[in-house]
Amino acid sequence: MKDKKNNEGYVKFVDLYSKYGVLLILVIVFLICSFSSPAFLQWSNILSTLNQAAITMVLTCGMTMLLISGHADLSAGSIVALTSIVCALTMKMTGSAVLAIGVSILAGVICGLLNGMGVCVLKISFFIITLATTMILRGMAYILTDGAPIYGMGKIMSLGQGSLLGIPNLIWIAAGVIIVTFIILSKTVYGRYLYAIGGNPEAAVASGINVKKDIILAFIIMGMISSVSGIMLAGRTNGGYPSAAEGYEFDAIIAAVLGGTSFNGGVGGVIGSIFGAIIIALINNGMNLVGISAYYQDIVKGVIIVAAVFIDLKTRSLVMKQ
Amino acid sequence: MEQEMLMQMKNIVVKFPGVIALNDVSISINKGSVHAIMGENGAGKSTLMKVLIGDRTPDYGEIFFEGKPIEKIASTGKHKDISMIYQELNPIKDMTIAENIFMGRFPEKARGIVDLPKTNELCQKIFDEWDLPYDPRQKMNTLSIASIQMIEIIKAISKKSKLIIMDEPTSAITPKEVEKLFSFIRELKNNGISVIYISHKLDEIYQIADHVTILRDGEKKKECAIEDITREEMISCMVGRDIKNVYYKKEVDIGEEILEVKALGRKNVFSDVSFSLRKGEVLGFSGVMGAGRTEIMRCIFGLDQATEGSIFVDGKRLNVKKPMDAINAGIAMLTEDRKGDGLVLCRSIRENIALASLNKMSRYGFMDKKTEDDKVNKAVEELMIKAHNTSVAANNLSGGNQQKVVFAKWLLKDPKILILDEPTRGIDVGAKTEIYHIISRLAENGVAVIFISSELPELLGVSDRVAVVASGRLVDILDRKDATQERIMELAAKGEK
C-alpha cells in the first residue's frame, strides 16, 4: 500500500512539473539569488537585469515560433548585427529615426525571406541554410561598416536607453512582442498550422495546409523580429557594431528549450520560453553579484541547461506513458 | 498435458496510475506450438508482451522459462530465448541482409574488427538450412515488407530463440506471402520453436494457431484449444457483447454521378484507370498491397501527381496538384497510414479534428473557440470517441479511437467524396463495426465513398460495387450481387499476369 501511495505522489509531482516546471525552476533560481546577495532584490537591479535580457527575449519569441514549426534560425544573431548596422547607417545618412527603423525592418524581412526560400524552394535543411546565411550576413555587416563601428544613433538612442513610467523602453518593446507572439501562437489559425506542421508535416500537407507558405512566413517573422532586436541593440549601444550579437541565436534557442519548447517541433509555447530567458538572465545576474568570474558562469549555465532539459525529458516521457 | 511446457506466466498484475492494465493473467505456452493472443485494443495484449520480453516489470507475478523462474528479464537484445517481431519493422535499410541479422553480435576477426566474409557465410548457412532464397549480400532496402519480416524471423532463429512473438505479422503483406509465412511458422513448430501470434484476423487464427487466449479489459477471459471455440464465441468473448451484424449496410438511393476518372495513370505505377462514382454509393477497391489501389487514390487526392488521364468532379475537370486542390473540390481522404499522414500525434484530439476546417471556425484568421468546441464535441459524440476530454494528445488514444479522430477531421469538412484507405486496419472488432455504421450513415447523406480494403469479407459487406485492381490496372468492377470472394480472387489472379 505504501508503495502505491508513494507512486501516486510521484505521478502527481511529474504531472505538475510537466505543466509548471519552468516556473518552479524560476522560483528556485530567484530564491537562491535573493539569499546569496542583498543587492539582488533591489527593484533597480531587477529592472536592469530584465532590460539586459529584453533583446534575447524578443529573439526568443521568433525562435519559439520557428522551433514549434520544426525549424530554427541559426542566422538570427547575424541578422541582428546586420540590421543594427543598417539602422545606424540610415540614421547617419538621413537623420530620420522613422526611416532608419523602416529600412532595418525591411532588411530583416528580406533576410527572413531568403532563409525561408532556401528551406522551402531550394529544399535545403534549415540547419544548413541558416548556417550559410549566418556567414553571408555577418560578412555583409563587416563590408557595410568596413569593419569599424558606427556611432551616434540620435533619437533611436533615446528609444533604446530611455524609459516610460519608470520602466525601460526595451522592456516595453519586449512585452509587446511577447504579447503579439502569444496571440499568434494560441489564438490564430496560423498558430494552429505552425503546431501541426511541426508535429507532423505530412499530416499537415494531407490536411490541405499550405505548408511551404506558412514556413516561409515563419522565417520572415523571425527576420522581422531579429531586426527589431537589431534596432533595440543599436539604440542601447548608441551605434552599430559588425561583431555584435554573436551567439544570440543560441541564447534564444536555449531559452525556448529550457521553457519546454521541443526541438522536434509541435510542442511548446512562448510563455515558457520567456520564463526560460528570464531564468538565464537571473542566473547571469546572480553570479555577477556574487562575483563569479565570467568563465565559470558559462560552465554553470551549461550544466544547468542540461539538468533542466534532462528532468524535462524524463517527466515528459513519464506523462506520455500514462 | 502430454506436451512439454516452454514458458509460463503466472498471476501477472500490472498497474498503471488509475488503471489496472493486467489483472491476474496467467498463460502457458507449450513447446512447438502456436499460441494466439486475442483481444480488442487496450485489452492488455501489448502490455503482456512487454512484460514477457522485459520491457516492463510487473507489479506482481512470476515468469517461468523451461521450468526455471526468470527474476527479471532484461531487454530483448540480452534475452536470446525470446524474440519479438514488431508490427512496424525497423531494419537498417542501407545495410545488407547478413549485417542486419548479425547486428550487435558480428563474428570478429580481432576484437572490434568485423569479419564480414564469415558473417555472410554464417548467414548463407542459415538460409540453406531453412531452404530460403535470399542472398546475404543483398541490401535490405531492395526487399519487400514480407521479406523484411522473414529476415526478422530468421534473425530470431539465428539467436536460437525458442519463443518468437509475432505482432500482427500479416497486416502489411499479400495473401500469397501470408501463405508462405504460415508454412514457415509450421516449419518452426516442427523444429520445436513456439510462436505467440497476435492478430485481429479470425481466419488466420483458425489456420495457424493451436491454442488461443482471449483478453478483455486486462483480464483473461478464455484459454482453450482452437478446436474448442467458434468464431462467434471468440468475437463475443473479445467484445463482451454479441455482435450479430458485423457488417452493416443500409440500402440507400444512389444519386447522380459525382466523380469520373478517365484513363488516369502514373508512370511506372499504374495506368489506364477509369471509373465513376455516384452520390450515396460505396465503391470498394480490392487488390493486394502494392497493386496500385492506394497509389490511384493518392493521385486523385493530390498527394502524388498523375502523369496521364483526367479527373472530373460534378462534371468539371479537376486539376489536382496538391491535396488542397482536391479538398477544395470536396474530396477528403483518410490515408492508409494514420500515424504517418493522418494525425499530428503530439497535439490534442481537438486540434486534430479541427485541423482541416479551421477556416470555418475562425474570423479574420483568429480562432473562434466556441464554434470550434461545439463542432469538435459534436463530432466526438457522434463517433463515440473515447477519451477523458478533447485536450488529450492523440498519441494517448488506442488505434481505433485514433482512426475515429481522423474520421472526425474529415466529417467536419462535409466532403462530397470520401476516400477511405484501409480504415479498419489494426483496429478491434467493436471499432470496426462502428466504422461500418459511419460509412453507411455517410452514404445515406449522399456522400460518395471509396473504400479500400484488403479484407474481402468487409469489402463485400459494405460496398455497392467492388473494383478489382491488380498490377497497376483496374481489372473489372463487379456489382454487389455478382461479387463473391472467389470471383474477386479469380479476377485479381488474372490481372497479375
Side-chain angles (χ1 to χ4, degrees), chain A residues 52 283-294 297:
Chain A
Q52 274 165 25
I283 294 173
N284 278 338
N285 177 249
M287 288 192 291
N288 276 334
L289 291 177
V290 185
I292 297 175
S293 109
Q297 287 189 18

mmCIF file with all atom_site columns, all heavy atoms in Angstrom, chain A residues 52 283-294 297:
data_model
loop_
_atom_site.group_PDB
_atom_site.id
_atom_site.type_symbol
_atom_site.label_atom_id
_atom_site.label_alt_id
_atom_site.label_comp_id
_atom_site.label_asym_id
_atom_site.label_entity_id
_atom_site.label_seq_id
_atom_site.pdbx_PDB_ins_code
_atom_site.Cartn_x
_atom_site.Cartn_y
_atom_site.Cartn_z
_atom_site.occupancy
_atom_site.B_iso_or_equiv
_atom_site.pdbx_formal_charge
_atom_site.auth_seq_id
_atom_site.auth_comp_id
_atom_site.auth_asym_id
_atom_site.auth_atom_id
_atom_site.pdbx_PDB_model_num
ATOM 1   N N   . GLN A 1 52  ? 18.515 44.068 -19.715 1.00 0.00 ? 52  GLN A N   1
ATOM 2   C CA  . GLN A 1 52  ? 19.574 43.407 -20.472 1.00 0.00 ? 52  GLN A CA  1
ATOM 3   C C   . GLN A 1 52  ? 19.067 42.189 -21.221 1.00 0.00 ? 52  GLN A C   1
ATOM 4   O O   . GLN A 1 52  ? 19.567 41.836 -22.282 1.00 0.00 ? 52  GLN A O   1
ATOM 5   C CB  . GLN A 1 52  ? 20.696 42.982 -19.528 1.00 0.00 ? 52  GLN A CB  1
ATOM 6   C CG  . GLN A 1 52  ? 21.703 44.094 -19.304 1.00 0.00 ? 52  GLN A CG  1
ATOM 7   C CD  . GLN A 1 52  ? 22.589 43.797 -18.122 1.00 0.00 ? 52  GLN A CD  1
ATOM 8   O OE1 . GLN A 1 52  ? 22.781 42.644 -17.754 1.00 0.00 ? 52  GLN A OE1 1
ATOM 9   N NE2 . GLN A 1 52  ? 23.114 44.848 -17.514 1.00 0.00 ? 52  GLN A NE2 1
ATOM 10  N N   . ILE A 1 283 ? 20.269 33.945 -13.576 1.00 0.00 ? 283 ILE A N   1
ATOM 11  C CA  . ILE A 1 283 ? 21.489 33.205 -13.226 1.00 0.00 ? 283 ILE A CA  1
ATOM 12  C C   . ILE A 1 283 ? 22.715 34.063 -13.517 1.00 0.00 ? 283 ILE A C   1
ATOM 13  O O   . ILE A 1 283 ? 23.616 34.203 -12.675 1.00 0.00 ? 283 ILE A O   1
ATOM 14  C CB  . ILE A 1 283 ? 21.573 31.872 -14.013 1.00 0.00 ? 283 ILE A CB  1
ATOM 15  C CG1 . ILE A 1 283 ? 20.448 30.938 -13.571 1.00 0.00 ? 283 ILE A CG1 1
ATOM 16  C CG2 . ILE A 1 283 ? 22.915 31.198 -13.793 1.00 0.00 ? 283 ILE A CG2 1
ATOM 17  C CD1 . ILE A 1 283 ? 20.341 29.681 -14.410 1.00 0.00 ? 283 ILE A CD1 1
ATOM 18  N N   . ASN A 1 284 ? 22.711 34.699 -14.688 1.00 0.00 ? 284 ASN A N   1
ATOM 19  C CA  . ASN A 1 284 ? 23.823 35.593 -15.041 1.00 0.00 ? 284 ASN A CA  1
ATOM 20  C C   . ASN A 1 284 ? 24.010 36.672 -13.998 1.00 0.00 ? 284 ASN A C   1
ATOM 21  O O   . ASN A 1 284 ? 25.102 36.904 -13.491 1.00 0.00 ? 284 ASN A O   1
ATOM 22  C CB  . ASN A 1 284 ? 23.543 36.274 -16.390 1.00 0.00 ? 284 ASN A CB  1
ATOM 23  C CG  . ASN A 1 284 ? 23.911 35.361 -17.534 1.00 0.00 ? 284 ASN A CG  1
ATOM 24  O OD1 . ASN A 1 284 ? 24.701 34.451 -17.373 1.00 0.00 ? 284 ASN A OD1 1
ATOM 25  N ND2 . ASN A 1 284 ? 23.319 35.611 -18.687 1.00 0.00 ? 284 ASN A ND2 1
ATOM 26  N N   . ASN A 1 285 ? 22.897 37.321 -13.694 1.00 0.00 ? 285 ASN A N   1
ATOM 27  C CA  . ASN A 1 285 ? 22.942 38.451 -12.772 1.00 0.00 ? 285 ASN A CA  1
ATOM 28  C C   . ASN A 1 285 ? 23.398 38.006 -11.384 1.00 0.00 ? 285 ASN A C   1
ATOM 29  O O   . ASN A 1 285 ? 24.271 38.612 -10.763 1.00 0.00 ? 285 ASN A O   1
ATOM 30  C CB  . ASN A 1 285 ? 21.561 39.105 -12.715 1.00 0.00 ? 285 ASN A CB  1
ATOM 31  C CG  . ASN A 1 285 ? 21.503 40.255 -11.727 1.00 0.00 ? 285 ASN A CG  1
ATOM 32  O OD1 . ASN A 1 285 ? 20.860 40.154 -10.707 1.00 0.00 ? 285 ASN A OD1 1
ATOM 33  N ND2 . ASN A 1 285 ? 22.214 41.329 -12.039 1.00 0.00 ? 285 ASN A ND2 1
ATOM 34  N N   . GLY A 1 286 ? 22.796 36.892 -10.934 1.00 0.00 ? 286 GLY A N   1
ATOM 35  C CA  . GLY A 1 286 ? 23.136 36.382 -9.608  1.00 0.00 ? 286 GLY A CA  1
ATOM 36  C C   . GLY A 1 286 ? 24.629 36.099 -9.507  1.00 0.00 ? 286 GLY A C   1
ATOM 37  O O   . GLY A 1 286 ? 25.285 36.478 -8.533  1.00 0.00 ? 286 GLY A O   1
ATOM 38  N N   . MET A 1 287 ? 25.171 35.464 -10.521 1.00 0.00 ? 287 MET A N   1
ATOM 39  C CA  . MET A 1 287 ? 26.587 35.105 -10.482 1.00 0.00 ? 287 MET A CA  1
ATOM 40  C C   . MET A 1 287 ? 27.464 36.352 -10.535 1.00 0.00 ? 287 MET A C   1
ATOM 41  O O   . MET A 1 287 ? 28.510 36.417 -9.884  1.00 0.00 ? 287 MET A O   1
ATOM 42  C CB  . MET A 1 287 ? 26.927 34.136 -11.610 1.00 0.00 ? 287 MET A CB  1
ATOM 43  C CG  . MET A 1 287 ? 26.356 32.750 -11.341 1.00 0.00 ? 287 MET A CG  1
ATOM 44  S SD  . MET A 1 287 ? 26.965 31.448 -12.434 1.00 0.00 ? 287 MET A SD  1
ATOM 45  C CE  . MET A 1 287 ? 26.215 31.915 -13.957 1.00 0.00 ? 287 MET A CE  1
ATOM 46  N N   . ASN A 1 288 ? 27.001 37.357 -11.301 1.00 0.00 ? 288 ASN A N   1
ATOM 47  C CA  . ASN A 1 288 ? 27.743 38.618 -11.335 1.00 0.00 ? 288 ASN A CA  1
ATOM 48  C C   . ASN A 1 288 ? 27.804 39.251 -9.957  1.00 0.00 ? 288 ASN A C   1
ATOM 49  O O   . ASN A 1 288 ? 28.842 39.723 -9.516  1.00 0.00 ? 288 ASN A O   1
ATOM 50  C CB  . ASN A 1 288 ? 27.073 39.610 -12.293 1.00 0.00 ? 288 ASN A CB  1
ATOM 51  C CG  . ASN A 1 288 ? 27.523 39.374 -13.710 1.00 0.00 ? 288 ASN A CG  1
ATOM 52  O OD1 . ASN A 1 288 ? 28.614 38.863 -13.935 1.00 0.00 ? 288 ASN A OD1 1
ATOM 53  N ND2 . ASN A 1 288 ? 26.680 39.726 -14.663 1.00 0.00 ? 288 ASN A ND2 1
ATOM 54  N N   . LEU A 1 289 ? 26.644 39.244 -9.276  1.00 0.00 ? 289 LEU A N   1
ATOM 55  C CA  . LEU A 1 289 ? 26.568 39.894 -7.967  1.00 0.00 ? 289 LEU A CA  1
ATOM 56  C C   . LEU A 1 289 ? 27.451 39.196 -6.953  1.00 0.00 ? 289 LEU A C   1
ATOM 57  O O   . LEU A 1 289 ? 28.090 39.822 -6.118  1.00 0.00 ? 289 LEU A O   1
ATOM 58  C CB  . LEU A 1 289 ? 25.120 39.914 -7.470  1.00 0.00 ? 289 LEU A CB  1
ATOM 59  C CG  . LEU A 1 289 ? 24.172 40.835 -8.250  1.00 0.00 ? 289 LEU A CG  1
ATOM 60  C CD1 . LEU A 1 289 ? 22.763 40.716 -7.711  1.00 0.00 ? 289 LEU A CD1 1
ATOM 61  C CD2 . LEU A 1 289 ? 24.648 42.284 -8.177  1.00 0.00 ? 289 LEU A CD2 1
ATOM 62  N N   . VAL A 1 290 ? 27.472 37.850 -7.034  1.00 0.00 ? 290 VAL A N   1
ATOM 63  C CA  . VAL A 1 290 ? 28.282 37.095 -6.080  1.00 0.00 ? 290 VAL A CA  1
ATOM 64  C C   . VAL A 1 290 ? 29.760 37.183 -6.451  1.00 0.00 ? 290 VAL A C   1
ATOM 65  O O   . VAL A 1 290 ? 30.635 36.902 -5.633  1.00 0.00 ? 290 VAL A O   1
ATOM 66  C CB  . VAL A 1 290 ? 27.813 35.624 -6.038  1.00 0.00 ? 290 VAL A CB  1
ATOM 67  C CG1 . VAL A 1 290 ? 28.556 34.844 -4.976  1.00 0.00 ? 290 VAL A CG1 1
ATOM 68  C CG2 . VAL A 1 290 ? 26.330 35.560 -5.762  1.00 0.00 ? 290 VAL A CG2 1
ATOM 69  N N   . GLY A 1 291 ? 30.027 37.567 -7.691  1.00 0.00 ? 291 GLY A N   1
ATOM 70  C CA  . GLY A 1 291 ? 31.411 37.760 -8.095  1.00 0.00 ? 291 GLY A CA  1
ATOM 71  C C   . GLY A 1 291 ? 32.060 36.530 -8.702  1.00 0.00 ? 291 GLY A C   1
ATOM 72  O O   . GLY A 1 291 ? 33.262 36.321 -8.587  1.00 0.00 ? 291 GLY A O   1
ATOM 73  N N   . ILE A 1 292 ? 31.230 35.669 -9.324  1.00 0.00 ? 292 ILE A N   1
ATOM 74  C CA  . ILE A 1 292 ? 31.804 34.514 -10.016 1.00 0.00 ? 292 ILE A CA  1
ATOM 75  C C   . ILE A 1 292 ? 32.322 34.982 -11.374 1.00 0.00 ? 292 ILE A C   1
ATOM 76  O O   . ILE A 1 292 ? 31.654 35.736 -12.071 1.00 0.00 ? 292 ILE A O   1
ATOM 77  C CB  . ILE A 1 292 ? 30.732 33.416 -10.203 1.00 0.00 ? 292 ILE A CB  1
ATOM 78  C CG1 . ILE A 1 292 ? 30.253 32.922 -8.839  1.00 0.00 ? 292 ILE A CG1 1
ATOM 79  C CG2 . ILE A 1 292 ? 31.267 32.271 -11.048 1.00 0.00 ? 292 ILE A CG2 1
ATOM 80  C CD1 . ILE A 1 292 ? 29.120 31.938 -8.900  1.00 0.00 ? 292 ILE A CD1 1
ATOM 81  N N   . SER A 1 293 ? 33.487 34.512 -11.751 1.00 0.00 ? 293 SER A N   1
ATOM 82  C CA  . SER A 1 293 ? 34.079 35.011 -12.991 1.00 0.00 ? 293 SER A CA  1
ATOM 83  C C   . SER A 1 293 ? 33.289 34.545 -14.204 1.00 0.00 ? 293 SER A C   1
ATOM 84  O O   . SER A 1 293 ? 32.636 33.494 -14.188 1.00 0.00 ? 293 SER A O   1
ATOM 85  C CB  . SER A 1 293 ? 35.532 34.535 -13.099 1.00 0.00 ? 293 SER A CB  1
ATOM 86  O OG  . SER A 1 293 ? 35.636 33.560 -14.103 1.00 0.00 ? 293 SER A OG  1
ATOM 87  N N   . ALA A 1 294 ? 33.362 35.330 -15.244 1.00 0.00 ? 294 ALA A N   1
ATOM 88  C CA  . ALA A 1 294 ? 32.557 35.084 -16.441 1.00 0.00 ? 294 ALA A CA  1
ATOM 89  C C   . ALA A 1 294 ? 32.847 33.714 -17.035 1.00 0.00 ? 294 ALA A C   1
ATOM 90  O O   . ALA A 1 294 ? 31.960 33.065 -17.572 1.00 0.00 ? 294 ALA A O   1
ATOM 91  C CB  . ALA A 1 294 ? 32.821 36.166 -17.474 1.00 0.00 ? 294 ALA A CB  1
ATOM 92  N N   . GLN A 1 297 ? 30.893 31.235 -15.222 1.00 0.00 ? 297 GLN A N   1
ATOM 93  C CA  . GLN A 1 297 ? 29.466 31.435 -15.476 1.00 0.00 ? 297 GLN A CA  1
ATOM 94  C C   . GLN A 1 297 ? 28.980 30.584 -16.640 1.00 0.00 ? 297 GLN A C   1
ATOM 95  O O   . GLN A 1 297 ? 27.925 29.956 -16.565 1.00 0.00 ? 297 GLN A O   1
ATOM 96  C CB  . GLN A 1 297 ? 29.186 32.910 -15.776 1.00 0.00 ? 297 GLN A CB  1
ATOM 97  C CG  . GLN A 1 297 ? 29.268 33.783 -14.552 1.00 0.00 ? 297 GLN A CG  1
ATOM 98  C CD  . GLN A 1 297 ? 28.780 35.188 -14.828 1.00 0.00 ? 297 GLN A CD  1
ATOM 99  O OE1 . GLN A 1 297 ? 28.083 35.422 -15.808 1.00 0.00 ? 297 GLN A OE1 1
ATOM 100 N NE2 . GLN A 1 297 ? 29.137 36.108 -13.966 1.00 0.00 ? 297 GLN A NE2 1
#
